[in-house]
Tab-separated table of all heavy atoms in Angstrom:
chain	number	residue	atom	x	y	z
Z	129	CYS	N	1.518	10.300	-18.640
Z	129	CYS	CA	2.185	11.292	-17.798
Z	129	CYS	C	3.629	11.428	-18.239
Z	129	CYS	O	4.123	12.618	-18.333
Z	129	CYS	CB	2.158	10.954	-16.327
Z	129	CYS	SG	0.457	11.172	-15.611
Z	130	GLY	N	4.353	10.292	-18.381
Z	130	GLY	CA	5.798	10.332	-18.654
Z	130	GLY	C	6.619	10.720	-17.500
Z	130	GLY	O	7.864	10.761	-17.620
Z	131	PHE	N	6.000	10.870	-16.271
Z	131	PHE	CA	6.769	11.020	-15.047
Z	131	PHE	C	6.213	10.011	-14.047
Z	131	PHE	O	5.184	9.575	-14.120
Z	131	PHE	CB	6.650	12.534	-14.469
Z	131	PHE	CG	5.217	13.097	-14.332
Z	131	PHE	CD1	4.377	12.696	-13.407
Z	131	PHE	CD2	4.843	13.988	-15.447
Z	131	PHE	CE1	3.058	13.204	-13.307
Z	131	PHE	CE2	3.519	14.462	-15.377
Z	131	PHE	CZ	2.641	14.138	-14.333
Z	132	PRO	N	7.101	9.689	-13.078
Z	132	PRO	CA	6.720	8.679	-12.050
Z	132	PRO	C	5.600	9.309	-11.096
Z	132	PRO	O	5.598	10.607	-10.884
Z	132	PRO	CB	7.964	8.415	-11.319
Z	132	PRO	CG	8.840	9.672	-11.452
Z	132	PRO	CD	8.430	10.288	-12.726
Z	133	LEU	N	4.778	8.467	-10.550
Z	133	LEU	CA	3.693	8.818	-9.549
Z	133	LEU	C	3.988	8.456	-8.161
Z	133	LEU	O	4.148	7.201	-7.953
Z	133	LEU	CB	2.415	8.337	-10.062
Z	133	LEU	CG	1.892	8.845	-11.482
Z	133	LEU	CD1	0.568	8.160	-11.739
Z	133	LEU	CD2	1.677	10.353	-11.446
Z	134	ALA	N	4.157	9.366	-7.299
Z	134	ALA	CA	4.238	8.929	-5.844
Z	134	ALA	C	2.837	8.727	-5.349
Z	134	ALA	O	1.954	9.520	-5.608
Z	134	ALA	CB	4.865	10.066	-5.010
Z	135	ALA	N	2.556	7.533	-4.666
Z	135	ALA	CA	1.176	7.354	-4.298
Z	135	ALA	C	1.114	6.368	-3.111
Z	135	ALA	O	1.568	5.219	-3.130
Z	135	ALA	CB	0.388	6.681	-5.386
Z	136	PRO	N	0.737	6.855	-1.951
Z	136	PRO	CA	0.306	6.044	-0.796
Z	136	PRO	C	-1.141	5.543	-1.000
Z	136	PRO	O	-1.766	5.927	-1.994
Z	136	PRO	CB	0.336	6.969	0.334
Z	136	PRO	CG	-0.161	8.258	-0.260
Z	136	PRO	CD	0.332	8.383	-1.559
Z	137	SER	N	-1.568	4.617	-0.153
Z	137	SER	CA	-3.018	4.243	-0.252
Z	137	SER	C	-3.838	5.446	-0.161
Z	137	SER	O	-3.530	6.346	0.655
Z	137	SER	CB	-3.239	3.071	0.764
Z	137	SER	OG	-2.837	3.563	2.022
Z	138	ALA	N	-5.052	5.391	-0.837
Z	138	ALA	CA	-5.832	6.670	-0.838
Z	138	ALA	C	-6.965	6.728	0.297
Z	138	ALA	O	-8.034	7.261	0.082
Z	138	ALA	CB	-6.578	6.702	-2.245
Z	139	ASN	N	-6.558	6.279	1.539
Z	139	ASN	CA	-7.431	6.314	2.639
Z	139	ASN	C	-6.950	7.482	3.566
Z	139	ASN	O	-5.867	7.897	3.427
Z	139	ASN	CB	-7.381	5.032	3.431
Z	139	ASN	CG	-5.906	4.561	3.697
Z	139	ASN	OD1	-5.211	4.180	2.776
Z	139	ASN	ND2	-5.526	4.720	4.914
Z	140	ILE	N	-7.793	7.920	4.510
Z	140	ILE	CA	-7.403	8.800	5.613
Z	140	ILE	C	-6.286	7.966	6.355
Z	140	ILE	O	-6.546	6.708	6.597
Z	140	ILE	CB	-8.564	9.093	6.464
Z	140	ILE	CG1	-9.629	9.925	5.813
Z	140	ILE	CG2	-8.084	9.864	7.761
Z	140	ILE	CD1	-9.453	11.434	5.702
Z	141	SER	N	-5.244	8.598	6.729
Z	141	SER	CA	-4.122	7.877	7.413
Z	141	SER	C	-4.686	7.092	8.639
Z	141	SER	O	-5.525	7.640	9.424
Z	141	SER	CB	-3.128	8.878	7.934
Z	141	SER	OG	-1.961	8.382	8.097
Z	142	GLY	N	-4.345	5.766	8.602
Z	142	GLY	CA	-4.810	4.945	9.877
Z	142	GLY	C	-6.014	4.084	9.556
Z	142	GLY	O	-6.148	3.096	10.209
Z	143	SER	N	-6.814	4.477	8.495
Z	143	SER	CA	-8.021	3.671	8.252
Z	143	SER	C	-7.749	2.647	7.225
Z	143	SER	O	-6.747	2.677	6.548
Z	143	SER	CB	-9.173	4.607	8.002
Z	143	SER	OG	-8.987	5.120	6.696
Z	144	PRO	N	-8.655	1.700	6.990
Z	144	PRO	CA	-8.504	0.670	5.938
Z	144	PRO	C	-8.263	1.111	4.652
Z	144	PRO	O	-8.897	2.135	4.256
Z	144	PRO	CB	-9.656	-0.252	6.073
Z	144	PRO	CG	-10.311	0.027	7.370
Z	144	PRO	CD	-10.027	1.498	7.672
Z	145	SER	N	-7.318	0.534	3.903
Z	145	SER	CA	-7.085	1.053	2.438
Z	145	SER	C	-8.320	0.819	1.570
Z	145	SER	O	-9.060	-0.119	1.787
Z	145	SER	CB	-5.948	0.189	1.935
Z	145	SER	OG	-4.710	0.510	2.527
Z	146	PRO	N	-8.509	1.630	0.727
Z	146	PRO	CA	-9.654	1.485	-0.197
Z	146	PRO	C	-9.444	0.575	-1.402
Z	146	PRO	O	-8.407	0.604	-2.049
Z	146	PRO	CB	-9.797	2.941	-0.847
Z	146	PRO	CG	-8.577	3.593	-0.604
Z	146	PRO	CD	-7.707	2.879	0.351
Z	147	THR	N	-10.365	-0.345	-1.635
Z	147	THR	CA	-10.301	-1.296	-2.739
Z	147	THR	C	-11.367	-1.016	-3.730
Z	147	THR	O	-11.568	-1.828	-4.680
Z	147	THR	CB	-10.443	-2.711	-2.179
Z	147	THR	OG1	-11.608	-2.852	-1.289
Z	147	THR	CG2	-9.344	-3.097	-1.309
Z	148	ARG	N	-12.172	-0.004	-3.576
Z	148	ARG	CA	-13.131	0.506	-4.571
Z	148	ARG	C	-13.223	1.946	-4.614
Z	148	ARG	O	-12.865	2.607	-3.625
Z	148	ARG	CB	-14.577	-0.014	-4.264
Z	148	ARG	CG	-14.635	-1.566	-4.320
Z	148	ARG	CD	-16.114	-2.062	-4.521
Z	148	ARG	NE	-17.028	-1.400	-3.579
Z	148	ARG	CZ	-17.579	-2.022	-2.517
Z	148	ARG	NH1	-17.367	-3.307	-2.365
Z	148	ARG	NH2	-18.447	-1.393	-1.799
Z	149	ALA	N	-13.707	2.499	-5.818
Z	149	ALA	CA	-13.590	4.064	-5.897
Z	149	ALA	C	-14.645	4.624	-4.718
Z	149	ALA	O	-14.205	5.776	-4.290
Z	149	ALA	CB	-14.098	4.359	-7.249
Z	150	GLU	N	-15.606	3.907	-4.415
Z	150	GLU	CA	-16.549	4.486	-3.362
Z	150	GLU	C	-15.868	4.656	-2.003
Z	150	GLU	O	-16.184	5.471	-1.294
Z	150	GLU	CB	-17.788	3.634	-3.256
Z	150	GLU	CG	-18.555	3.413	-4.567
Z	150	GLU	CD	-18.094	2.172	-5.364
Z	150	GLU	OE1	-18.390	1.054	-4.940
Z	150	GLU	OE2	-17.249	2.427	-6.166
Z	151	HIS	N	-14.901	3.659	-1.766
Z	151	HIS	CA	-14.221	3.850	-0.549
Z	151	HIS	C	-13.401	5.015	-0.458
Z	151	HIS	O	-13.242	5.768	0.509
Z	151	HIS	CB	-13.265	2.601	-0.311
Z	151	HIS	CG	-13.938	1.215	-0.164
Z	151	HIS	ND1	-13.191	0.161	-0.431
Z	151	HIS	CD2	-15.144	0.889	0.144
Z	151	HIS	CE1	-14.052	-0.875	-0.422
Z	151	HIS	NE2	-15.325	-0.409	-0.045
Z	152	VAL	N	-12.829	5.411	-1.623
Z	152	VAL	CA	-11.966	6.613	-1.674
Z	152	VAL	C	-12.836	7.763	-1.500
Z	152	VAL	O	-12.444	8.761	-0.782
Z	152	VAL	CB	-11.214	6.786	-3.055
Z	152	VAL	CG1	-10.397	7.961	-3.147
Z	152	VAL	CG2	-10.455	5.501	-3.380
Side-chain angles (χ1 to χ4, degrees):
C129 287
F131 49 76
L133 298 177
S137 50
N139 50 287
I140 299 275
S141 205
S143 70
S145 293
T147 53
R148 296 205 307 256
E150 305 86 82
H151 299 160
V152 182

